[in-house]
Amino acid sequence: MDWRGKRRGMGRIVARVLLTGVLTVALLLPGRPAMALTLEHGTTDKRITESMLANTPPSDYEIDKSIQGDAKDGVYNDYFLKDDVQTVSIEVDENNLNYLLQNAADKPTVMTKSVTIGDKTLGYTGLKTKGNYTLQHAVTDNPGSDRFSFTINFGKFIKKSNGFSKRQNFFGCHKISFNNFYFDKSMMKEYIAMKLMSEMGLPTPQYGLAKLYINQKYYGVYFMVEALDSSILEQHKGVEDKEISPYLTKPEESTLEYDTAMDRFMKKDGTFDLSSVLKQDGSGIFKASGALKKQSYLWEDDEETLQDVAEMMPTVLGWQRKLTLLSHGKDFQGNKIDVNSDEYLKLLEEIMDVDETVRYFAAHSWLVQLDDMFVVMRNMGLYIDRNGRSMMLPWDYDLSFGCYYPSMAETTANMHIDLMYRADWIAFSDQPRTKETLDYTRFPFFQVIYQNEALMEKYHQYMKDCSKIAALGGRTTDGKTYEPCRFVSSITEMEDSLLRAADQKLAENVYYLNNTEQPRDARAALPNLKRIIALRALGVALQVDGMEAVVSGYGCNLETLGNAVQGMNSFRGRIAAIDEDTGVYSVADYESSRSDNSPSLRLREMESGELMYQKIMKQAGGGAADLKVYTLMDTARASGDYTLYFPADSKEFAGIQEIYSYDGSGSLKKLEVKKEEDRYCVAAASIDYLVLKGAGGTAEGKAAAVSVKWIVPVSAGACLVVVAAVVMILWRRKKRGKKK
């Protein structure tokens, strides 16, 4: 728990003690009728026991075959809406619901009557609470609110072992989770994180936003996400369920280093015989004992998960041993090996999908998600196939963009591209770009990448790809071209629907947790989420390109996102700033005093009715169709020239031919335009007003310019002259007609 969490936690404890005291005094007042203390969670004061549950589906229930399917077909993707908020309704016996809510911390599973997602309904699914830290505090620190995170398991009760023909699914999807935004006031951080992971080609759960109703009562907006299950890999690989191994877990409390105590179970051929420490009882239940039991993190320390993965444990231990050997610079026989050799890469490819793993860590680092496998040793998905080859799957990104440890926008934007954790945990570093002494030897899953120069070069390029995909635009290493500001546009598209959903009246037993008030907090957070995406994109790109500049976080209050802080920003030195709505950014030197503002950039296209626009266009020679005038504002003033960068793959800036600056002195100064990779670059002493010739010069853009841009520069006076001329011609014709 961070320091702010501790402070809030103490405040809630004090409040609960005071509340208990007040209630006790009230109960003892003379003449007041006896009353029972209300339970902290649930819709009834009655304590519900397990014997009161309705957890047996009717034997004549028939699975709706039209809703069943294969995950590889991806039909269920359409129910995770990407541009709107889905509606999900759960009907559940009141005793079942109250048992679940009253015992939320224990994560019990109860049976529903039905679940409706969009226009599809399934009967008798499983429903449970989920989470670790957030669940604990949702239970203990938020009395009176039942807005827990939940998971729906479509086949928990409808399966072969219960007498049904098959395990029920939702078009091949087996489980969907609903996360309650405990640490996300924007309600879109995890949405954006999963979007990036998906677009980087990773095996990513389907995701979206949902309005959740339970027994017709509104529980608010949730992040709707496919649970880590074989369905993700079936779809990613395009294969049937039987081709996916059962080993897909979320290891916790481990760096995944191999424990040499397991050597005693290794045979001469390098495989493992676990028959003495992994046995089945008379009911077919697997039990782990001895040295193997100490490796319980490999099955999430969960007996039910152990049943699923037991047959894979020899393979998993073999993978773990080989991974650890390679991370120590040794081959599978324990001999020293050159970590930059082709032999090393060949051996690494035998035990993992190397490209997928590099992509995963690049996107993970880009998102500055520090509540992870390096810091808290959790929040990752690990898949190992039957051949002992692994893949990493993204999971749990609600604390991304620097919101795990109280951080600032500038710290997050400039987090070093190789930095997965801060060894000293100093959040307010005066040198946010300084790379700390790193030691990943305890984390073999990344060390095998980190110690190889070629893989780290690829890792850095993939990080820059993330910046292009999210904000900067341009061509990625996969050969795809992206418009700038795509993620800002995604948030804008969702914003109205999200805020409307967040503004709906909640059930009496529900309120948004962790001192959040919606939709007020989302309105404040979403502009800052857009800005931190652009800032991080620029910070990563500059580092990969080797440019020595600090990205200014001025104008971005990360505190609004939840669990972060608003802090000081750089005001002196070489500083970069970006306009998140266009992807245009600047780099310049500043020598201002501490009393001055830090730099930030805002770009706006001027309109024909503005006096300065008319003045500039007159100077330019009369308003040609391919000229655009912009005003560019910096909250600080550079001590020398600005270097400006315009995204070349933007519809707005594609095809730039010439750029002029206008400083109000009465003359336009032509600037030298250079094309650098995916951007146009100019140096300018003044950026107050810029005139761009040919901007938007794609075939599509030129057509628009011909049909529209000739009209825009015409002043109101010119329009009156044209109208007057037409009126005069008509009057003269009428006069001639009368004479005849």
Side-chain angles (χ1 to χ4, degrees), residues 305-565:
T305 302
L306 175 60
Q307 309 313 308
D308 296 331
V309 305
E311 67 177 79
M312 282 291 295
M313 290 314 301
T315 302
V316 172
L317 287 172
W319 169 86
Q320 193 180 23
R321 176 179 173 274
K322 292 176 181 178
L323 178 73
T324 302
L325 283 169
L326 287 178
S327 74
H328 292 162
K330 298 178 181 180
D331 65 17
F332 299 156
Q333 285 70 46
N335 303 313
K336 277 289 184 180
I337 187 173
D338 180 359
V339 297
N340 288 300
S341 66
D342 290 341
E343 182 186 0
Y344 174 86
L345 291 175
K346 183 179 179 180
L347 291 177
L348 188 58
E349 196 68 54
E350 287 184 23
I351 64 165
M352 67 168 54
D353 184 329
V354 176
D355 187 69
E356 188 271 347
T357 305
V358 176
R359 287 173 183 268
Y360 169 84
F361 281 114
H364 176 82
S365 179
W366 194 96
L367 289 164
V368 193
Q369 203 313 56
L370 299 177
D371 180 29
D372 65 0
M373 70 291 295
F374 296 97
V375 177
V376 293
M377 294 183 286
R378 63 169 178 251
N379 294 339
M380 66 170 174
L382 174 64
Y383 171 69
I384 300 176
D385 68 19
R386 289 185 173 86
N387 295 317
R389 199 162 180 262
S390 67
M391 296 179 73
M392 306 287 281
L393 280 75
W395 188 252
D396 201 348
Y397 279 85
D398 60 327
L399 284 165
S400 52
F401 296 106
C403 292
Y404 171 64
Y405 197 86
S407 187
M408 302 176 296
E410 188 165 301
T411 306
T412 298
N414 295 285
M415 183 71 74
H416 197 282
I417 53 179
D418 294 350
L419 192 65
M420 298 292 185
Y421 67 97
R422 300 187 62 90
D424 55 1
W425 280 108
I426 297 175
F428 311 102
S429 173
D430 291 332
Q431 295 178 313
R433 284 288 303 279
T434 300
K435 179 178 177 181
E436 301 180 43
T437 301
L438 297 176
D439 179 13
Y440 290 117
T441 55
R442 292 180 56 241
F443 306 99
F445 46 73
F446 183 62
Q447 174 69 8
V448 291
I449 305 297
Y450 185 69
Q451 66 189 0
N452 182 276
E453 294 175 1
L455 293 180
M456 283 305 290
E457 183 178 348
K458 180 182 283 191
Y459 163 88
H460 291 147
Q461 289 305 313
Y462 284 155
M463 286 201 77
K464 190 172 180 180
D465 284 352
C466 290
S467 290
K468 292 179 179 182
I469 290 169
L472 300 184
R475 191 178 181 87
T476 64
T477 52
D478 291 340
K480 298 178 181 178
T481 300
Y482 293 85
E483 273 276 314
C485 316
R486 292 180 64 252
F487 283 14
V488 167
S489 298
S490 293
I491 294 171
T492 300
E493 290 173 4
M494 289 287 292
E495 199 164 352
D496 288 344
S497 298
L498 170 59
L499 293 176
R500 282 196 303 271
D503 197 30
Q504 286 185 214
K505 186 178 180 181
L506 298 171
E508 291 182 1
N509 61 312
V510 172
Y511 60 79
Y512 286 100
L513 309 178
N514 202 17
N515 298 325
T516 299
E517 183 179 328
Q518 296 295 7
R520 180 201 66 184
D521 287 343
R523 286 196 182 98
L526 289 174
N528 289 293
L529 178 58
K530 295 176 183 178
R531 188 142 180 77
I532 195 59
I533 291 170
L535 294 176
R536 180 57 177 164
L538 181 56
V540 166
L542 293 181
Q543 290 184 61
V544 174
D545 289 343
M547 293 183 65
E548 293 297 327
V550 173
V551 176
S552 171
Y554 187 74
C556 180
N557 180 3
L558 209 60
E559 186 176 21
T560 62
L561 273 63
N563 210 53
V565 295

